[in-house]
Amino acid sequence: MASEGVDETGESDGTGAAAPAPAPDGDAVAAAKAAGPSNGESVRVDSWIWSVRLVKTRSMGAAACKGGHVRVNGERVKPAHSVHVGDEVRLRHEGHERVVIVKQVIRKRVGPPVAVQCYVDNSPPPPPREAVAPAGIRDRGTGRPTKRDRRDLERLRGLPGADAGPAATPDTSGDRDTRRDSRRSTRREPRR
């Protein structure tokens, strides 16, 4: 009970009531500031997209930069490119594009509530589920797909060359007999 009416400095306010707890948003801002660079240092783009949880690992962020999937202000960048407040970062990851505006530059990875406060998300909405064609799902244990199954899947996906069915393939059955006969003629005759 000795802590009642005592503020952060340790002085009593004379009311006998406990000092109000800091707001949860204040903790998030403090955590983000603690994770930020000191003395105006810059932060690498691969480190920043990892810190704000746009990718799972920093190496995935570096690979995305090397693959040309990260753009800062419209330009493809290398992993060591510096990020500043106000930059637009576009990341193409896992089939969709994330477009974010940098509100705060941080160096260390922070929790999701804090990470969301470090950028403004301008990403386009994901496509509706009906528009996405289902991938060829096979029952477990059915084995490897046959040639017929593969052609059916290609036809469903609309891939080129999928319409080439059995009628479109040339008939080479007569060629086999000719080859077989030619092989026989080159063989040695049995000795008598």
Side-chain angles (χ1 to χ4, degrees), residues 6-78:
V6 178
D7 63 3
E8 295 89 22
T9 61
E11 298 177 9
S12 175
D13 61 1
T15 61
D25 291 338
D27 290 341
V29 171
K33 284 184 181 177
S38 59
N39 300 329
E41 295 175 9
S42 62
V43 176
R44 296 168 52 114
V45 68
D46 62 339
S47 178
W48 187 82
I49 62 176
W50 167 73
S51 298
V52 296
R53 298 179 170 263
L54 295 178
V55 292
K56 283 187 178 182
T57 63
R58 183 171 170 190
S59 61
M60 286 175 72
C65 291
K66 289 177 185 174
H69 303 292
V70 177
R71 293 177 178 261
V72 176
N73 297 328
E75 295 181 15
R76 287 184 178 176
V77 295
K78 293 183 177 182

Side-chain angles (χ1 to χ4, degrees), residues 64-116:
C65 291
K66 289 177 185 174
H69 303 292
V70 177
R71 293 177 178 261
V72 176
N73 297 328
E75 295 181 15
R76 287 184 178 176
V77 295
K78 293 183 177 182
H81 184 82
S82 296
V83 177
H84 306 286
V85 175
D87 286 348
E88 178 190 59
V89 177
R90 290 178 174 265
L91 169 69
R92 184 134 188 90
H93 183 63
E94 295 180 353
H96 64 279
E97 186 174 36
R98 298 286 305 265
V99 180
V100 296
I101 307 293
V102 179
K103 276 179 34 180
Q104 187 169 1
V105 179
I106 60 172
R107 178 184 307 276
K108 297 178 184 174
R109 190 168 173 96
V110 292
V114 179
V116 172

Side-chain angles (χ1 to χ4, degrees), residues 150-163:
R150 180 183 55 81
R151 287 184 178 150
D152 289 342
L153 285 173
E154 287 176 354
R155 199 172 298 116
L156 282 173
R157 292 180 184 155
L159 295 175
D163 294 332

